[in-house]
Amino acid sequence: MDLPEQRLVVHHRIRERHPDVTEDDVRTAWNSQIKRRKREELHPPQYAAVGFDAKGRLLQMVAVYDPLNDVVLIFHAMRATWNMLNELGLS
């Protein structure tokens, strides 16, 4: 399923936990994803992804899709870790 890119919400907690990552950084990274994986074993399913922000940093993101509101909520974003790269098969 393709996620509705136009309905993207970035949770405010990301900025609180990672002050160097802005909402624009997350949006840019999400829109320039190089790899995404649906975590179907979770309910609701999550989407783990990595992409580059405008500063050239590789960010990891985790999102959920809310079908009732047709919104993708990104609730986790930070510089990509080896664990995320391994999960996505990019290590």
Side-chain angles (χ1 to χ4, degrees):
M1 167 194 190
D2 282 83
L3 296 173
E5 309 298 333
Q6 70 278 11
R7 303 272 308 187
L8 187 64
V9 175
V10 178
H11 199 284
H12 64 86
R13 180 182 74 139
I14 294 170
R15 184 76 170 154
E16 292 169 6
R17 294 189 64 151
H18 305 283
D20 62 319
V21 178
T22 67
E23 182 175 333
D24 285 341
D25 293 335
V26 176
R27 288 180 179 280
T28 300
W30 185 262
N31 291 325
S32 67
Q33 293 174 38
I34 58 172
K35 189 84 180 247
R36 176 169 66 201
R37 173 186 176 279
K38 185 176 182 182
R39 294 173 168 171
E40 296 191 46
E41 65 277 9
L42 300 174
H43 184 74
Q46 295 179 359
Y47 296 84
V50 291
F52 289 99
D53 69 5
K55 299 173 183 102
R57 300 177 298 180
L58 185 62
L59 299 184
Q60 68 181 44
M61 299 155 287
V62 181
V64 291
Y65 174 62
D66 174 4
L68 294 176
N69 296 307
D70 198 32
V71 169
V72 174
L73 170 65
I74 300 175
F75 64 89
H76 168 77
M78 60 185 274
R79 290 181 188 237
T81 64
W82 284 112
N83 286 342
M84 180 64 81
L85 296 176
N86 285 333
E87 178 182 340
L88 297 174
L90 296 173
S91 59

